[in-house]
Each structure stands twice: as structure tokens, then as C-alpha cells.
Amino acid sequence: MTMTNKKETFYITTAIHYANAGPHMGHAYEGALADILARYKRNSGALTFFLSGTDEHGDKILRAAQKENTAPQLFVNNNAQKFKDLYKKLEISNDGFIRTSDSEKHWPGVIKWWKNAVKNGDIYKSIYKGAYCVGCESFITDKELINGKCPYHDKEPQIIEEENFFFKLSKYAPQIKHLIESDEINIIPKIRKKEMLIILEEGINDISCSRPERDIVWGIPVPDNSGQIIYVWTEALINYISALGYGLQDEKLVEQFWPANVQVVGKDIFRFHAIVWPAMLLSAGLPLPKTILVHGFVTSQGKKMSKSIGNVIDPEEYIDTYGTDAFRYFVAREISPFEDGDFTKEKFIETYNANLANGLGNLVSRTLKMTEQYFDGKVERRLDIDIPLQITRETLKGMETLKDYSIPYVIQQNILPNYTAQMNAYDTQSAANIIWRLVGLLDGYITDYEPFKLIKEDKDKTENILWNVLCGIHWISKMVFPILPDTAKKITDALGATIVENKPVSFQTQQLNKPLFVRIQS
Ligand code: MSP
């Protein structure tokens, strides 16, 4: 009997972003964060599908289009393009981009889900009376209001009374509670899991899943029922499977990739993803996402960005001025994926100069220069000399037991396994910290061994020292690839490593045409 080895698959999604305007910092952040994880997985050999897209229906978008006197379809076409343009600029490697106004790709999945839910008895008609926040596109309870206003949009909700279809969310709540408790739906960070369990403990009501049609129909009509359109959140959540072909003739990708390995969403919308979405999947008889990664908000001067405060930071401005990799670096290293993180110009410049221009950039350029100057760019492994890692500084912290070994050994035994563990735990910030710890370690190594002096006394030993540093840089280029794809490629090209069994055996370096990161003068 022959066994076929099935390749590991990895399906990662972002939220679909509202197309009521172009993208902002939150979208750039979420896209870059998910992209780092997608690139990491793809590069480690998993067959990866990375999905993003735009959420294009609902009152918020209709109103925005009307305000600009534009037909809603044209309006969202324009905005969706802006998201695609930003993704290109940010080198987001998404495999799919789903748009909810796409009646050929998205709608059939929504209709399939709806009909199935009706068949299961999960949908019924009733009267809804309550407060609605158009910003959230969601009903809001008195308890959630702060001073009578939605905490996210700082606006008073509208009071609505209308006939809606309802989805029997309450029917699935006990099962979902169990699935979250047992981590079958793994919500990270754990503090978010606790929050969900409290909400589930308090009791869950059924939710409205349709809205009456207005003068302009902008949404997906409820099947077999004139007069109602499917509630924007209900249909938006289905994007994660419609993008794979759910409801179409060919559902091959659904079988291959669903359930998602990780769904990346912000803290304001994770309740939809941790409770409503799993209930919808249970109703459809589909498996549930394995992990929901709930990230925080990017703030500016410690506050939510808002036009009225005047603290809005445009991601494109930073990308255009300092480069895609500089922006991606900030996302990965300076913002924890599990908490809010502040984005300020001062911090951006400070960390760029310290860790990109001076740290990584300088390490690579001076190593390449020495290799070129002393060895015409060609360095080979010298098995006859083994130089232990004799540095006693900060950078060796936690690795003391490894100080008698060479750099490649330390990387294999300590750095790579730690990095892999952090990436697999979706902790991009800790993974980035590990990479920069290696940058510091190599800097310290050069300072301690002074190859620039030693070359006059002992050429062989100098070659071995550079060999160690070049190996370190080789592994940095591998580890840093998901975060800084362009820089990683430049480093790889400059090193000219010959690889045998996954490890470098010699280097034939080339000088960089330009510094990797030019210092910002402030
Ligand atoms: N369209 C809904 C999601 C539907 S998913 C089926 C939506 N869109 S959104 O454009 O408002 O937000 C998209 C994502 O961006 C969300 O995950 C949200 O949390 C995130 N962010 C919006 N502002 C943010 C910051 N300032 N910082 C980080 N991410 C934030 O909600």
C-alpha cells in the first residue's frame, strides 16, 4: 500500500474591511500582521491560503455613497481598489480578495447558508425594537452604551422598531461556551477568551439577521422573500467560506482549506467571530475555525485615532517616505499582536534608526565590507578552527550554557527553536525580538573578536570569525523574511551562500548597491 503524504495546509484570514472609505492605519496593521504569519507558514512549507477583502454592504456604506452622490456599486469599486493598492504597496501576499458585492463569488455561499439555516429551523420572523449603531452596523444594548453613546463611534444610536428575520443564536450558545472553554475554538490572547466566557455566562439572545429594504436596495436579498435584505454582518461573516467557493459548483478549496487555522480580527469585532460565526457554522454543519487571534488597536498619542482629535496617522505616508519594510518592522516589533500599541513619529524614527539603520543595516554592511576587503568576498567554513562564543554581554542572556559553542550551534540550539515557537504561537513581536537579539549578539561578537584588528595577525582565525557572523546573517535573512521580505531578499543575494542540507557551507558575497536602511535625520 502506498501512503501519500498530505501536505500541511494553512488558512489565514483578516477581517473584511469596510469600503465606506479608503484604508486607514488599522487596516494596514491588520493586513501586515496577517501577512507576516502567512509568509512564515508558507515559507515553512505549509500549503497556505491567505484571504482578505472588503465588506461592501450595509447602511454605513450606502449613506457614505449617497453623501458623495455616487452609485453604491461605483463607490465601493473605487474604495476596494484603494485597499488593493495599499496591499500591493505593503507587499501583502494575499491569495484571495473577496468583495461582498461580488454577486457571482460571494452571494451563492450566502444564499446556500441561509437556505440551510431556514431548513434547520434556525431562522424565524419577529419584531425587533432596540438601539442600532450605524458605525458598528450592529444593535447595541443599554449596558454597552457609555453616556448614551456607542463607545467605539462616540455617537448616539438610533432607535429602531421593525420586522426582521432572527437567527437562533441562543440554541448554539451552550455548545459554543463548551468549545471556547475547552480551547477547541482557541481564542488568543487568553484575556479575550475570558471576556467571551463572561458574555456567554450572562446569556445570549437570538440576533436579527435581516433588515427591511429601503428605497435603494443595497445588500443581498433574502431568498424567496421580497422586502428584506440579509443583515450585513450575517453575510459578511460568510466571506471566509464563500471566498473558497462555498455555494459554487466547485467547493474543492472549501474541503482543502476550511476550517481556517487562524482568523485575525480586532478586539472590537471578535465577539462576532467567537460567538456568532461559530453558531452560523454549526447551523451549516461546517467545522469551526481553530484559532481566533484578537489583536488590539493601533493608537496615536495613546488615543484612538480620530479626525476630530486630529491624531490620525496615514500609513501610506510612512510607507512612501521610509519604505514598506520600515513600516512592517514597526508593526512586528513595536506593537504586540495581543494588545493596543501606540504609533508615533518619534518612536518610528527612533526605532528605525536604532534597529534598522544602525542595528541590522550596519551589521550587514560592515560584515560584507570586511569579507570583501579581507577575503575578496569568499569565505569558507574552516573545520580546523572552532571559535567559541566568548561574549559576556547582555545579548547572551538566557544562552549562558551555550557560550562554549560557535554561532551556528547557538542558532540551531536556541534561536531557531525559540523563534519557531513564537511564530507558531502567533507572537510576531517575540519572534522579532529574537531576531534582533541575534543582531545584538553578532554585533557583540564582532566587538569582542575585533576581526578588523585580528586580520593583521591571524588570517585564518579572522576568516572563521567572519564565517560565524555570515552564518548568523544568513539565519537572520531567513527569519526576518516574513517581516521584511525585500530586505531579506537583498541580504540573501548579497551573501551568495552555497547551501548544503539546509545549511550554508560557503559564501561568495557582493556589496550592496545602497545601504539597506538610510538613517533618518531628525
Ligand atoms: N467589516 C467589518 C468586519 C467584518 S468581518 C466579517 C469591520 N470592518 S472595519 O473596516 O471597521 O475593521 C476591519 C478590521 O480593522 C477589524 O478587525 C478592526 O478591528 C480593525 N481595526 C480598525 N481600526 C483599528 C485600529 N485603529 N487598529 C487596529 N485595528 C483596527 O469591522
Side-chain angles (χ1 to χ4, degrees), residues 15-18 24 26-27 29-30 55 60 233 236-237 239-240 265-269 273 295-298:
I16 47 171
H17 301 152
Y18 281 130
H24 58 57
H27 303 128
Y29 172 72
E30 188 173 283
D55 193 351
K60 174 151 87 176
W233 263 103
L237 286 162
N239 88 85
Y240 302 124
V265 297
K267 63 178 184 180
D268 55 332
I269 60 164
H273 288 81
H295 64 76
F297 266 38
V298 182

Side-chain angles (χ1 to χ4, degrees), residues 391-400 437 440-441:
I391 56 171
T392 48
R393 58 197 67 243
E394 264 290 281
T395 44
L396 206 58
K397 248 193 186 158
M399 289 188 266
E400 282 82 1
R437 194 160 82 172
L441 192 138

Side-chain angles (χ1 to χ4, degrees), residues 1 103 246 292 323 396:
M1 198 173 76
S103 58
Y246 183 72
I292 301 170
L396 206 58

Side-chain angles (χ1 to χ4, degrees), residues 27-228:
H27 303 128
Y29 172 72
E30 188 173 283
L33 173 64
D35 187 59
I36 292 168
L37 298 170
R39 281 179 185 266
Y40 167 73
K41 273 291 174 179
R42 202 182 285 121
N43 227 33
S44 39
L47 190 59
T48 299
F49 196 96
F50 170 21
L51 177 72
S52 193
T54 37
D55 193 351
E56 304 188 349
H57 290 135
D59 279 357
K60 174 151 87 176
I61 286 164
L62 182 58
R63 285 184 195 181
Q66 283 170 336
K67 219 169 136 190
E68 288 193 11
N69 266 327
T70 314
Q73 187 63 60
L74 198 65
F75 180 76
V76 293
N77 288 352
N78 280 336
N79 284 331
Q81 190 55 47
K82 292 182 193 156
F83 281 90
K84 289 185 176 174
D85 292 345
L86 173 77
Y87 272 23
K88 203 159 173 214
K89 222 178 223 189
L90 258 177
E91 292 187 40
I92 306 279
S93 63
N94 54 309
D95 302 284
F97 191 96
I98 185 82
R99 299 182 50 194
T100 56
S101 72
D102 186 338
S103 58
E104 283 176 21
K105 182 98 207 216
H106 177 61
W107 296 24
V110 176
I111 303 298
K112 178 172 173 174
W113 178 84
W114 184 280
K115 287 188 169 163
N116 196 67
V118 170
K119 206 172 74 205
N120 287 344
D122 284 345
I123 285 179
Y124 62 94
K125 229 173 192 181
S126 184
I127 299 284
Y128 188 90
K129 185 167 187 303
Y132 189 84
C133 171
V134 178
C136 296
E137 286 288 10
S138 156
F139 290 105
I140 183 162
T141 61
D142 285 348
K143 233 173 41 197
E144 288 164 327
L145 297 174
I146 294 180
N147 297 331
K149 290 179 175 173
C150 161
Y152 286 109
H153 297 93
D154 202 28
K155 284 208 178 97
E156 280 176 22
Q158 296 170 262
I159 302 302
I160 284 179
E161 180 169 359
E162 59 187 30
E163 190 171 53
N164 288 174
F165 283 103
F166 278 71
F167 172 63
K168 278 192 190 161
L169 186 61
S170 60
K171 169 174 155 189
Y172 295 101
Q175 201 177 342
I176 288 170
K177 186 161 169 272
H178 168 75
L179 290 163
I180 293 178
E181 261 162 359
S182 63
D183 290 333
E184 276 164 85
I185 303 173
N186 179 28
I187 301 178
I188 46 178
K190 287 291 169 243
I191 185 162
R192 302 291 175 200
K193 169 183 172 178
K194 277 196 203 132
E195 258 176 61
M196 273 311 92
L197 289 173
I198 291 169
I199 289 175
L200 283 157
E201 203 67 51
E202 285 171 351
I204 293 286
N205 295 325
D206 293 344
I207 51 164
S208 142
C209 61
S210 76
R211 307 292 310 273
E213 270 175 14
R214 306 285 156 84
D215 37 344
I216 297 175
V217 180
W218 182 241
I220 307 177
V222 168
D224 312 321
N225 182 288
S226 58
Q228 295 265 326

Side-chain angles (χ1 to χ4, degrees), residues 11 14 59 84 94 153 265 285 294-295 432 473 519 521-522:
Y11 183 31
T14 66
D59 279 357
K84 289 185 176 174
N94 54 309
H153 297 93
V265 297
V294 186
H295 64 76
I473 295 176
R519 240 190 107 77
Q521 306 297 340
S522 52

